[in-house]
Amino acid sequence: MRKPIIAGNWKMNNTIRESKALVTELLPLIKDANCDVVLCVPFTDIKSVVSLTKGSIIKVGAQNVHFAENGAYTGEISATMLKELKVNYCIIGHSERRQYFGETDETVNKKIAACLKYKIKPIVCIGETLQQRESNQTKDILKNQIIEGFKGYKSKDFEKIIIAYEPIWAIGTGKTATAQDANSTIKHIREVLKKYFGLSISQKTRIQYGGSMNAKNAFELMSMPEIDGGLIGGASLKAQDFSKVVNYDKK
Ligand code: PGA
């Protein structure tokens, strides 16, 4: 019922030249994928990656957006600018943006609106730190991020929204949540969605797992009933590795 979605998050990696080489190598490797495939690339790579992937199954995403239409926000990029470049997805509220760039549930909430207005699908990241996990706060943290981040959004909006559950302690650390752990936390996320937004939204919303997902563990994670995809950092930077995650169902 929920189509799997595998998204690469290149973070601050790949010049235009490097991105061309990576995408050129990747395209033939993923052409028979059974899932939605997205590459969230640096702003500077968008134009060339959109042009290289035209007519393929790869859709292009950004990694951030400002919530305003335009104005005196030095260094920022708006959703209308992204739309003009044919961006289809945008990561919102990644933990690195929350940690280093002051992103909050409130800015997440506004950025979702900016994306939806321009028919850009938001990939909204939520997740707990190691310290929060160890002090048993995971459920509360996720609940708050959901209630505040998605405040005011309705069923029609959730059709476009993708949630990425990324336990912060698993990002870039090589530590992955066990498939069972990730599955049960995502189940909890669905329970919160059900309670605050309704049964249908909780059943229909696609929820990815992110945090050291790679060629080796993708199959097991993707076999879990609650996990609908992955947000892949490190392993999206090599065509071979990322293609194996995308082709997780082809053993
Ligand atoms: P990782 O990053 O796969 O390198 O852990 C995932 C992410 O930050 O989205």
Side-chain angles (χ1 to χ4, degrees):
M1 171 173 99
R2 299 185 298 256
K3 186 168 187 201
I5 172 164
I6 301 287
N9 174 11
W10 286 1
K11 308 193 178 183
M12 197 173 72
N13 294 290
N14 291 329
T15 61
I16 294 177
R17 187 195 295 260
E18 289 162 342
S19 75
K20 281 184 177 160
L22 174 50
V23 173
T24 306
E25 190 185 348
L26 184 63
L27 277 167
L29 302 174
I30 51 95
K31 66 177 181 355
D32 299 319
N34 295 316
C35 56
D36 287 343
V37 184
V38 183
L39 291 177
C40 297
V41 307
F43 293 132
T44 47
D45 291 337
I46 289 173
K47 201 169 177 189
S48 68
V49 176
V50 165
S51 131
L52 275 172
T53 55
K54 197 168 170 207
S56 80
I57 62 166
I58 296 179
K59 298 279 182 244
V60 179
Q63 301 170 13
N64 181 36
V65 65
H66 196 273
F67 47 77
E69 285 278 332
N70 51 48
Y73 299 103
T74 303
E76 292 291 321
I77 300 283
S78 71
T80 158
M81 294 168 179
L82 294 178
K83 193 64 200 177
E84 191 177 34
L85 290 174
K86 303 196 167 54
V87 163
N88 288 294
Y89 292 83
C90 185
I91 297 174
I92 293 180
H94 189 279
S95 62
E96 285 149 18
R97 295 217 53 91
R98 294 181 190 250
Q99 183 178 355
Y100 306 130
F101 303 102
E103 196 109 340
T104 62
D105 294 330
E106 197 185 337
T107 59
V108 165
N109 187 278
K110 292 185 182 172
K111 289 178 176 199
I112 294 172
C115 284
L116 293 177
K117 180 165 179 199
Y118 289 96
K119 301 199 163 37
I120 294 169
K121 297 188 178 83
I123 300 177
V124 182
C125 300
I126 57 175
E128 81 285 1
T129 63
L130 184 60
Q131 190 239 328
Q132 288 162 340
R133 186 172 189 87
E134 285 175 343
S135 55
N136 246 330
Q137 295 178 66
T138 301
K139 287 190 169 177
D140 286 341
I141 293 291
L142 292 171
K143 186 175 93 180
N144 279 337
Q145 288 175 339
I146 293 167
I147 294 176
E148 296 303 319
F150 296 118
K151 196 183 273 173
Y153 292 101
K154 302 273 178 298
S155 189
K156 196 168 55 62
D157 307 318
F158 274 92
E159 284 168 17
K160 306 275 181 319
I161 293 171
I162 293 131
I163 297 178
Y165 166 57
E166 300 207 302
I168 294 166
W169 47 271
I171 294 179
T173 57
K175 282 187 205 159
T176 325
T178 64
Q180 288 73 18
D181 246 5
N183 191 65
S184 76
T185 309
I186 291 179
K187 198 166 175 208
H188 166 74
I189 292 171
R190 290 198 196 283
E191 278 157 18
V192 175
L193 287 175
K194 182 177 160 196
K195 180 161 178 198
Y196 293 92
F197 298 92
L199 178 66
S200 152
I201 285 173
S202 75
Q203 288 174 335
K204 284 190 196 151
T205 304
R206 293 192 286 180
I207 307 182
Q208 300 173 311
Y209 167 79
S212 300
M213 191 160 165
N214 57 39
K216 287 206 176 72
N217 58 30
F219 176 74
E220 198 193 356
L221 285 160
M222 291 301 292
S223 305
M224 292 288 141
E226 306 294 348
I227 301 180
D228 305 320
L231 186 55
I232 325 294
S236 71
L237 297 174
K238 293 215 169 80
Q240 289 291 339
D241 291 351
F242 188 60
S243 70
K244 285 183 188 142
V245 179
V246 168
N247 294 320
Y248 67 90
D249 58 335
K250 302 185 183 66
K251 283 234 128 179

